[in-house]
Structure formats: structure tokens, C-alpha cells
Amino acid sequence: MRQIRIIACFVFLYLCTNMYAQLSTNELPVSFDSKSGLREMSKSTTPVATMPELDMPKIEMEDMQNERKGIPYRFGYKHKVHYDLNNSGIWYEFPNGDRLWQLNVVCPNALSINFCYDKFWIPEGGKLFVYSKDRKQCIGAFTSKNNKGDIDHLRGFATELIYGSEVVLEYFQPKDVSTDAIMSLDYIVHGYRNVKAGAGALPCMVNINCDEGQSWQNEKNAIARMIIEGSSYGTGSLINTTNLSEVPFFLTANHCVTDVGKDALGNSNLDNTLFYWNYEAPGCANISGEPSNSFVTHGATVIANNSISDFALLRLSEDPKDYVGYTPNYLGWDHSGQSGDSCVCIHHPGGDVKKISTSNGQPTNYIVNWEVAWKSNPNGYGITQGGSSGSPLINNMHRVIGQLEGANFEECYNPNVRSYFGCFNMSWTGNNDNSIQRRLNCWLDSLNTSAQTMEGLLVIRMTKAMNTDQELYSNIRIANNGQLIVQSNIELKGNSQVIVESGGQLIIDGGTLSNVDLDLKAGSTLRIINGGVIDTSNGFRAPLGAIVDVVYGQIM
């Protein structure tokens, strides 16, 4: 039976493999060009879709009830609609044959507006933009690269928040594109809670870039803020596999997906879910505006989930590593059932910028979950709250041992505050569930290595300098055109490898890289200069075609 299960895991993993879509193109809408002649015309002729005003007493009562039930933190009300390119808005035609469609959307007194689409397909050459009526905020273009399905198998989509109460949808179709786009709005989300950075978290929360987060600067890149199916918040993290595959597996909480009707064995598409990366304050102080280097990926599929330990494993539809400037980190894990000496939680409370909470000693194991008490730090008292659900519990060896289920208080500086995390070791086998959609091991250890622990994976795709002494609890892969420059004393912990792919460069520039299992591939480069030292006592593989250039320094 064990052999059959291994084969089933492999086949299912292969069938789930797909091509990843790229992110938006970050260009201005066509109508913003004064030469288009559309700007003045559209002010008076573009139709307006106005949503009803909200019944706030009723909504506030629902939110109170949801919070008691542990339902994810809601920030917006979803208006059910059916607007598409044919039954709403207006088409404009340019003299050269290009066409442009616009629809103005108004949600009275809204703090933000965002959209969920039940059908979304853009032909090659088409471009969708979404922007505020005052043109101060704009997202797009979304193109054929963002399609989740094809024209015969339509899937959904979601676009991120635009702040304010009036938003414009704009679709541009060049004259040489003969196939029309298919875009159907399913929900317009009226944001009634302030979701801008600095607004959602309790005041005692500690930003990830305070001193308390300095030992977790690689791990923080694995964490993303989720907007779940348009209207609620959660948190989750990229997670590593034993074959270092860089598949964008994303660990979060089961209740984050089942509360919106999703399940690995049923309706598994999270096409209307958004993932915000690098959503953090640059320093320790809170910020009033949005993070400047944040970016968004769209959509996911639930591939495994289980209510016993409240875990859900997603596969992202758009791969964040495709974003230029982002250094992905895939978290390591431990399914031994041992907690380690202490732990941290990195999360997005209230949908706010990334925070870190530090445990007060070891967590307590209650078989299916960990109970964690928190401690006060110089920069605050990190706990968890609504929006933190799904965030990883990471032990002192920098390995995930669980994900957040909920907490018994949301109150600053209360010594009785406890948070509860589903146990990773229980999720590993799904409490011995036979279905691969109810367990983690088939996905994270498809090779069946039986490893109880796994280090993280840091992927270098550009030039990155390490110039601060640190311990690094991670494997490192230096990809083609990536360059890692070690200018300080870096000690790798655990069973970490450094893999330098063809076209990648590892440069030891006056620093020391120790405790290394180094695997150079043909076409890669190791260069040691300015008295640099690399300790390869754990292993050193350099095949024919790898370049090893020791100018001034040594290999130990």
C-alpha cells in the first residue's frame, strides 16, 4: 500500500503542474494619454454603476458574530452583480480602429473598492486597467498572461484594492485583435474598514523590521498578506519541499478557505484571492502610506486541507519569484512534534503591514495544536489578531511547526493572551488520513525521503550582498544571472546546501562562509577575493565546466 500511495502522490503532483502567469505590466491606461482624445469625452459619457449604501449596524453585528466564530477578518461588503463588456459600460472607437471600454463604479462612502470576476479571459494584445476616478491610484495592465483558464474553460480573477469611493474599469483592445475579451464582474466589494498600512493592527504590534525581526529577514520574504475571495484577510507562507523544487506551495489555515466554501476535494479554485508580497514598513516605525515595494499575485488552488489541525496547502497560480526585485524564501519545516526552545510568528494582523510576535518560552503541545504565550519586547508586545490566521509558527531553528488557528484575546499587554496553532506534525499525515488532499507529506516530500526536518530555501536571482554577520538557517540556490557576494561572516546551520546553477556566481569577498555543502554546476562560478574563506567541510562538488577562481583567499 505504501508503494501505491507514493506513485499516486507523484502522478497527482505531475498533473497539477501548469505554466505560471506573469504579473501586471505596470503601465498607464490608454485614456491617460492626452493624445487619445478620450479624456474629456469620457468625463460626461461613461456610464456609472452606483451600489446601494451599506446597512452598517447590521454589518457590524455580523462582524462581531464572525469574530466569535473565528471567521477571517472582514473589511468589505460584497455586492452581487452581473456586469460584463456587453451589458454595461460604454465602448469608444478610435479613428484607427482601436476600441476602448469604460465603466465607472461608485460605492457611497467607501474607503476602498475591489472587484471579483467569475469569468475572465483576455486575448493576446488586450489590456485591462483599474484606477481611481481622481487617477491617483492605478493598477494594470492585466493581459492574457493573467488568464487562469482558456476561452473554452473560463476561470475567475480578482483585482486589488483601489482607495476611495469611485473607480473606473477600462479595457483596451487594439484593432488587430479579432477575438473579444470575456470579463464578467461577479462582486463589487465595498470596503468599510480602513485597510491602509498602519490602520489594522493593534498599537502594541511589532513591525518586522524592528530589532526583534533582524534575525528573521530571510524568512519574512516567505510571508504574504491574503485578501481571501475579495473581502476578508488572512496570512500564509511559501514552504519548501525536500527536492528544493521552488513550486509555489503556500501554507495557511483551513478555515481561511472553508469559510469561503473552498476545499481540495470540491470547489478548489481560489481565483478571487490575492497575495500581497513585501507588504511591510521599511523600518521600525509605522507608515501612513502604502509600502513602496509591495506587489500582488492573483489566484491559487487548494491542493490539500484538513480541519483537524486547521491547515490548508495552496498552489499559487502566479509565481511571486517572477517579480523582478523579489528574493523568494521557502520556509523550512519540522514534523517531529518537537517545539524547539522558542518560536516567532510573522503575520499581517488586521491586514496591516508585516509584524512579528515572540513567544514567552516553549509552546505547549495539545496533540492537534500548540498553545503559545507571548512576551513583551523593547518595541512592543506582539500577539495575534484577526487577519493573522494562517501565519506560520517558526521555531528557533527557523522551521515551521504550525499555522495560526486563532487566539483567545485580542488585547495588548494582557499576560493571559494565548494563540493556538495547528501542529505541523498532525498536518503531515492528516491524522493518518488516506487521501493525499488531506495531508502535507505527499506534496512537501513527494520523493518519500522520510526526512523529519527540512531547511528553508533562499533563491538568488539577482545581485545580493551579505555584509552583516549572521547565522543562516536555509539552503541557498544561486540561479542563472544571480550573484551572491559574501562580505561578512555567514554560518549556515543544519544541513544547508549552497547550489550554484549554470550562469550563477558565488563570490567570497573578504568574508567567511562556513558549514557549507557546496554544489557547483557546470557553467557556474566560485570566486574568492580579498582574503575570503569558504569552509566546504560538509561537501564540495565542482564538475567539469565549473569555474573556481581563487584570487586571494582559501577553500577549507
Side-chain angles (χ1 to χ4, degrees):
M1 288 297 294
R2 183 173 183 176
Q3 197 170 22
I4 293 173
R5 182 178 294 159
I6 293 168
I7 293 172
C9 288
F10 173 79
V11 171
F12 198 84
L13 199 61
Y14 175 79
L15 291 175
C16 279
T17 301
N18 62 354
M19 293 185 66
Y20 297 113
Q22 71 176 26
L23 312 181
S24 62
T25 61
N26 292 320
E27 60 184 282
L28 291 177
V30 173
S31 65
F32 281 28
D33 185 352
S34 59
K35 295 179 182 179
S36 71
L38 183 69
R39 184 167 184 173
E40 294 303 320
M41 183 192 308
S42 64
K43 283 183 180 180
S44 59
T45 60
T46 300
V48 178
T50 301
M51 298 298 103
E53 293 191 14
L54 299 187
D55 183 347
M56 287 310 301
K58 179 181 177 182
I59 288 172
E60 289 168 359
M61 180 63 68
E62 290 174 352
D63 287 341
M64 289 176 60
Q65 294 171 349
N66 289 344
E67 288 168 13
R68 286 196 291 266
K69 296 175 184 177
I71 293 174
Y73 180 95
R74 183 173 68 168
F75 67 87
Y77 180 84
K78 297 170 74 171
H79 294 286
K80 178 69 174 176
V81 297
H82 179 61
Y83 295 140
D84 60 32
L85 298 177
N86 298 315
N87 67 11
S88 63
I90 188 171
W91 281 98
Y92 299 97
E93 187 162 337
F94 296 98
N96 67 351
D98 293 343
R99 302 174 69 218
L100 186 142
W101 173 89
Q102 284 188 338
L103 174 66
N104 290 350
V105 175
V106 175
C107 291
N109 302 311
L111 300 176
S112 64
I113 298 175
N114 55 294
F115 301 104
C116 297
Y117 310 76
D118 58 342
K119 297 175 184 177
F120 185 92
W121 183 85
I122 295 180
E124 188 171 349
K127 297 179 180 183
L128 172 67
F129 303 90
V130 187
Y131 53 91
S132 59
K133 187 68 178 298
D134 61 11
R135 303 193 175 199
K136 291 182 179 179
Q137 186 185 2
C138 173
I139 56 175
F142 302 103
T143 68
S144 61
K145 301 297 184 181
N146 296 101
N147 294 338
K148 301 295 177 287
D150 57 45
I151 196 168
D152 296 317
H153 304 90
L154 295 171
R155 296 273 296 272
F157 192 63
T159 47
E160 48 263 45
L161 278 64
I162 300 292
Y163 297 111
S165 61
E166 297 187 52
V167 173
V168 180
L169 286 161
E170 177 175 310
Y171 173 67
F172 174 71
Q173 186 161 304
K175 62 180 179 181
D176 56 352
V177 176
S178 58
T179 305
D180 290 337
I182 301 172
M183 286 186 289
S184 172
L185 279 178
D186 195 27
Y187 290 102
I188 295 173
V189 185
H190 178 139
Y192 58 86
R193 279 174 161 164
N194 190 347
V195 292
K196 287 190 175 181
L202 292 168
C204 58
M205 294 293 191
V206 180
N207 283 329
I208 186 62
N209 291 318
C210 293
D211 290 342
E212 292 85 346
Q214 290 311 301
S215 297
W216 305 91
Q217 291 297 295
N218 289 311
E219 287 75 17
K220 74 176 186 180
N221 287 342
I223 314 300
R225 177 180 81 156
M226 302 169 63
I227 293 184
I228 307 163
E229 297 299 278
S231 62
S232 58
Y233 279 127
T235 304
S237 57
L238 291 172
I239 193 158
N240 199 15
T241 60
T242 52
N243 60 0
L244 306 181
S245 64
E246 297 183 36
V247 173
F249 288 140
F250 188 86
L251 181 69
T252 187
N254 178 68
H255 71 269
C256 286
V257 300
T258 57
D259 286 343
V260 292
K262 306 297 182 178
D263 186 270
L265 290 173
N267 183 13
S268 62
N269 291 335
L270 286 164
D271 292 336
N272 291 151
T273 296
L274 302 174
F275 302 85
Y276 283 68
W277 306 91
N278 291 344
Y279 196 78
E280 59 193 59
C284 189
N286 283 324
I287 56 177
S288 56
E290 293 296 274
S292 60
N293 64 340
S294 178
F295 68 97
V296 179
T297 59
H298 308 78
T301 301
V302 185
I303 59 173
N305 63 305
N306 198 314
S307 62
I308 293 174
S309 57
D310 196 39
F311 90 86
L313 186 68
L314 316 182
R315 181 164 181 160
L316 305 180
S317 302
E318 296 178 355
D319 199 327
K321 75 181 181 187
D322 292 342
Y323 184 82
V324 176
Y326 171 65
T327 301
N329 185 283
Y330 306 80
L331 293 180
W333 39 260
D334 184 337
H335 69 87
S336 69
Q338 303 300 312
S339 65
D341 295 334
S342 61
C343 52
V344 301
C345 173
I346 305 174
H347 54 118
H348 288 281
D352 211 330
V353 291
K354 201 173 295 175
K355 309 288 183 177
I356 185 167
S357 302
T358 308
S359 72
N360 187 12
Q362 291 182 321
T364 302
N365 191 321
Y366 286 109
I367 308 301
V368 298
N369 56 29
W370 301 102
E371 181 185 79
V372 180
W374 305 107
K375 72 175 183 180
S376 183
N377 289 298
N379 289 297
Y381 187 78
I383 53 175
T384 60
Q385 67 180 88
S388 303
S389 289
S391 54
L393 184 65
I394 311 173
N395 69 12
N396 61 298
M397 293 300 293
H398 294 231
R399 297 168 181 152
V400 175
I401 60 171
Q403 75 292 322
L404 182 66
E405 295 177 347
N408 63 350
F409 290 97
E410 290 186 1
E411 183 178 336
C412 286
Y413 299 101
N414 186 329
N416 297 314
V417 167
R418 297 290 185 272
S419 297
Y420 297 89
F421 295 78
C423 286
F424 196 88
N425 59 301
M426 183 64 66
S427 305
W428 190 251
T429 63
N431 197 28
N432 298 314
D433 197 299
N434 288 327
S435 172
I436 65 173
Q437 286 93 356
R438 295 290 183 247
R439 51 200 294 152
L440 285 175
N441 59 346
C442 281
W443 307 96
L444 304 187
D445 187 22
S446 61
L447 300 179
N448 196 40
T449 67
S450 299
Q452 284 197 321
T453 63
M454 184 66 200
E455 313 305 335
L457 175 64
L458 179 66
V459 182
I460 310 297
R461 298 184 178 279
M462 62 200 80
T463 298
K464 179 179 177 64
M466 292 186 175
N467 48 28
T468 303
D469 292 355
Q470 60 180 296
E471 296 176 338
L472 196 61
Y473 295 78
S474 184
N475 297 282
I476 300 174
R477 174 178 282 136
I478 306 173
N480 182 29
N481 296 322
Q483 184 181 81
L484 177 61
I485 305 172
V486 178
Q487 298 172 317
S488 54
N489 297 315
I490 306 296
E491 180 183 0
L492 294 183
K493 306 296 287 188
N495 299 313
S496 298
Q497 282 186 306
V498 175
I499 304 166
V500 188
E501 303 287 356
S502 177
Q505 297 184 55
L506 172 60
I507 301 174
I508 314 299
D509 181 5
T512 300
L513 186 61
S514 58
N515 197 34
V516 175
D517 177 1
L518 179 61
D519 186 3
L520 298 175
K521 305 297 185 181
S524 66
T525 300
L526 168 65
R527 191 161 186 251
I528 305 177
I529 59 177
N530 296 324
V533 176
I534 183 168
D535 168 17
T536 61
S537 55
N538 285 349
F540 182 20
R541 294 172 295 284
L544 184 67
I547 301 171
V548 179
D549 182 15
V550 182
V551 177
Y552 171 42
Q554 60 180 315
I555 300 174
M556 298 175 59

